[in-house]
Structure formats: C-alpha cells, structure tokens
C-alpha cells in the first residue's frame, strides 16, 4: 500500500508568491491533518478534516493560509501571499477514523523556503 | 488544554548502551499517549501508543514505554541501541473524549555513537 503522498517535496519561492502544497491520504482513511514543523515552534497542527469536512482550523496562522479537501483522496494547503516566516516543513497525515486513539500516518513532508 | 514536555533536547549514547527518553505531560482530562520517531528527511512514524490496560507498552524496533499516571510521565526506553536508532523522537498526547488532535513535545534528538 502506498503511504501518504505529498508534493512537491521541496519548494523555493519568493516572498509574495502563492504556494500550493498537495496531499493524497492513504486510501480508505477518513481523517486528514496538516502540520507545520519549525525549529522554534516544533510540530503544530494547522487544520484537520473528517470525511472531507474541516473540523478544527484553529491552528491556521492567519488568513493567508487556506486548506481544502474537495474529495477523499486529495487535499491542498495554500499560502497566499507567502512570507519568509512561512519557511518550514509541512506534513500531511491521515488516519482511518476520527477517534483520538487512532494512529496518524505521516507523509514525507514538503520543505518550503520563502526568500 | 494539554502540554507535553520532553526533558532532554539531545541524548547522545554509545551503541549497545541502554537509553531512556523522558516525557511528561499535563492535562485536565484523560489522555492517550504516543511516541513517534522521525528519521532524517522523513515523516513521523508511530513507535508505540498507550490506550488502556497494562502500563508497559511494547513497540517496534525493541522500544517500550511505561505510563505512570501519578507522575504524568510516559518515558521511552530501549535496553540496547543501534546506530540505526539515530533519529528524533516525539512524545504526543490526545484527549480520550475530545478532538482528534495530537499535541507534540519539542522532540529529543537521539544520537548513537559507535
């Protein structure tokens, strides 16, 4: 079985540009999570979806960030406009159900550098 | 709200030595507890989790952890480490009855020296 797939793996962009990160969860998983990892703040949950519906977006930093899940096999995280402080590794994870005991399976991450 | 404290940011040990990575948590409600491992340039992978029952939990790669409710701790141990265990280790909690949100500690970088 393929794991969680993220693209691109690396992204370098200039301040002010739009950035779109993509995620394909494991087939059959109903929950999808977006995390951000930085040296200063560690791993932070940005937003998560159950059955394609956003449940909690309290971790989204500001209006420049938006996330969508148009169907069960695809999600995007968009930053517009991007800023240097958005530089981080962004992880997508998925789990089978919405229970808090469920294991989350992480993708390899997208390393974003905003110049 | 929950919080997780990993007491050591870096732990260097020699190959075949035992290791303990410490994790303490704070929560006003009952929680599930997790340890994840992150190898260089990879995503996180579950090592083990405590849901209920025996407080000693065994995971993959020879790791185990013990839940101590009175001390609110969930320390990770391995009796003999290998070079391949070099990675960053994250302790995390989630509410038993609440939202499906993992709260992570800051991570402990385990370095194995030959």
């Amino acid at each position: 079985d393929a794991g969680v797939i993220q693209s691109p793996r690396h992204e370098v962009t200039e301040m002010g540009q739009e950035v779109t990160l993509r995620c394909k969860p494991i087939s059959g998983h109903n929950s999808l999570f977006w995390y951000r990892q930085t040296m200063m703040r560690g791993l932070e949950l940005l937003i998560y979806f159950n059955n394609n519906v956003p449940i909690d977006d309290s971790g989204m930093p500001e209006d420049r960030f938006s996330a969508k899940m148009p169907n069960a096999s695809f999600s995007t995280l968009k930053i517009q406009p991007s800023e240097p402080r958005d530089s981080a590794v962004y992880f997508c994870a998925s789990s089978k159900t919405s229970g808090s005991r469920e294991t989350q399976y992480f993708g390899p991450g997208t390393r974003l550098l905003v110049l | 709200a929950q919080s997780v404290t990993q007491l050591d940011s870096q732990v260097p040990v020699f190959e075949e030595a035992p290791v303990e990575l410490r994790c303490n948590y704070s929560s006003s409600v009952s929680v599930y507890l997790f340890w994840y491992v992150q190898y260089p340039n990879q995503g996180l992978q579950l090592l083990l989790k405590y849901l209920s029952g025996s407080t000693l939990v065994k995971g993959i790669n020879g790791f185990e952890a013990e839940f101590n409710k009175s001390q609110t701790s969930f320390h990770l141990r391995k009796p003999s480490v290998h070079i391949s265990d070099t990675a960053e280790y994250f302790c995390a909690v989630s509410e038993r009855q609440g939202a499906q949100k993992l709260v992570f500690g800051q991570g402990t970088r385990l370095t194995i020296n030959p």
Side-chain angles (χ1 to χ4, degrees), chain B residues 27-86:
Chain B
S27 177
S28 57
V29 298
S30 296
V31 296
Y32 297 122
L33 295 149
F34 304 78
W35 275 100
Y36 281 82
V37 60
Q38 183 179 28
Y39 298 105
N41 299 315
Q42 294 186 28
L44 281 72
Q45 176 185 359
L46 181 73
L47 271 179
L48 49 80
K49 60 183 177 182
Y50 174 75
L51 303 180
S52 64
S54 172
T55 56
L56 184 62
V57 182
K58 293 190 183 298
I60 62 171
N61 300 341
F63 284 92
E64 63 182 30
E66 185 150 23
F67 170 54
N68 187 318
K69 187 175 182 179
S70 62
Q71 297 186 6
T72 60
S73 68
F74 191 53
H75 300 333
L76 181 71
R77 302 186 184 100
K78 186 169 183 177
S80 176
V81 295
H82 302 284
I83 292 285
S84 59
D85 293 323
T86 296

Side-chain angles (χ1 to χ4, degrees), chain A residues 65-78:
Chain A
F65 285 68
S66 62
K68 293 182 180 179
M69 192 164 185
N71 57 62
S73 59
F74 184 65
S75 176
T76 60
L77 178 67
K78 188 174 291 187

Side-chain angles (χ1 to χ4, degrees), chain A residues 36-44 59 61 85, chain B residues 104-106:
Chain A
R36 179 171 65 176
Q37 184 178 35
T38 61
M39 290 292 292
M40 292 299 295
R41 300 174 66 88
L43 268 163
E44 305 173 280
R85 60 191 167 127
Chain B
F104 286 90
Q106 285 293 98

Side-chain angles (χ1 to χ4, degrees), chain A residues 1-112:
Chain A
D1 274 345
V4 175
I5 300 172
Q6 292 186 247
S7 64
R9 291 294 308 276
H10 302 274
E11 178 82 29
V12 180
T13 191
E14 293 187 346
M15 184 173 62
Q17 296 298 307
E18 177 180 293
V19 175
T20 300
L21 311 182
R22 296 173 176 79
C23 175
K24 177 178 170 57
I26 294 172
S27 177
H29 282 194
N30 296 330
S31 296
L32 184 140
F33 308 81
W34 281 102
Y35 290 90
R36 179 171 65 176
Q37 184 178 35
T38 61
M39 290 292 292
M40 292 299 295
R41 300 174 66 88
L43 268 163
E44 305 173 280
L45 177 67
L46 300 177
I47 185 171
Y48 76 96
F49 297 82
N50 283 342
N51 297 316
N52 313 336
V53 176
I55 302 300
D56 186 343
D57 65 354
S58 59
M60 296 286 263
E62 48 198 273
D63 292 345
R64 297 185 297 108
F65 285 68
S66 62
K68 293 182 180 179
M69 192 164 185
N71 57 62
S73 59
F74 184 65
S75 176
T76 60
L77 178 67
K78 188 174 291 187
I79 309 173
Q80 166 64 19
S82 58
E83 296 183 3
R85 60 191 167 127
D86 301 330
S87 298
V89 181
Y90 291 81
F91 289 103
C92 176
S94 69
S95 68
K96 283 183 182 178
T97 71
S98 60
S100 60
R101 62 190 291 152
E102 290 296 327
T103 298
Q104 294 182 23
Y105 294 83
F106 284 73
T110 295
R111 190 171 296 272
L112 173 65

